[in-house]
Amino acid sequence: MPKNIYRKGKSVYSKKPFPKSDGLNYSASILVPSTKRDKNVSDSQFKKRIKETKNFLNNSFGGTTTIRSVGSFTDQNGAIVNEKIAVVTSHTDKFGYGKGNQKVKSFLVKKRKEWNQESMGYTFESPQRPSKSFHFV
């Protein structure tokens, strides 16, 4: 691990002075849906999904930020479906992301099936990909 980075438990911290630090320059976001196919789930079920995703990313990378928003997609019949979503984002370093990358994919595949989704949205950003790339799993 670089000299300017240290770990405490599962969290990663930078020793560089603010704001000159490269920081935790790997970012991963999971878009949490509030639907089961084209039907809304209950508010308590949506909150449970958010909590599960936050817990997963916290355990994988050390912390999260959650933003609630509205997303839309075109269903198999060509209709536009609007839905509440939560974007749960975690930041880490190259080492942390390398250790958690396969766990993220497995989590997305598992939740896609469990939550009855056609696909799950995921964004990734790193020094090699300075603009976010959006993926479907």
Side-chain angles (χ1 to χ4, degrees):
M1 185 172 305
K3 293 178 188 176
N4 59 349
I5 301 289
Y6 70 98
R7 290 188 171 278
K8 186 175 182 180
K10 292 186 179 182
S11 296
V12 179
Y13 299 93
S14 174
K15 293 180 183 177
K16 287 187 176 181
F18 182 80
K20 296 179 183 179
S21 172
D22 289 339
L24 304 174
N25 51 14
Y26 283 70
S27 171
S29 299
I30 296 175
L31 282 66
V32 181
S34 66
T35 57
K36 186 173 185 177
R37 292 292 179 171
D38 59 348
K39 305 288 186 227
N40 289 327
V41 297
S42 68
D43 283 339
S44 63
Q45 184 63 38
F46 183 43
K47 288 177 184 176
K48 180 180 177 197
R49 289 178 177 188
I50 295 168
K51 184 176 181 179
E52 289 174 6
T53 304
K54 287 171 63 172
N55 288 341
F56 167 75
L57 288 176
N58 280 324
N59 289 329
S60 297
F61 303 122
T64 60
T65 301
T66 303
I67 299 172
R68 291 183 184 227
S69 190
V70 175
S72 64
F73 65 93
T74 304
D75 70 11
Q76 293 174 333
N77 298 319
I80 295 176
V81 177
N82 293 302
E83 67 175 317
K84 295 185 290 184
I85 63 166
V87 181
V88 183
T89 303
S90 193
H91 301 276
T92 190
D93 61 359
K94 183 177 183 177
F95 176 77
Y97 188 76
K99 286 181 67 175
N101 185 28
Q102 281 305 114
K103 288 193 281 185
V104 171
K105 182 177 179 182
S106 295
F107 178 83
L108 290 167
V109 169
K110 176 182 172 187
K111 293 303 174 185
R112 182 186 70 207
K113 291 176 186 172
E114 182 181 321
W115 296 342
N116 198 15
Q117 299 295 304
E118 290 179 29
S119 62
M120 293 282 295
Y122 170 75
T123 65
F124 174 71
E125 186 173 16
S126 72
Q128 294 77 27
R129 292 185 178 175
S131 59
K132 285 187 179 178
S133 56
F134 189 82
H135 305 272
F136 290 104
V137 174

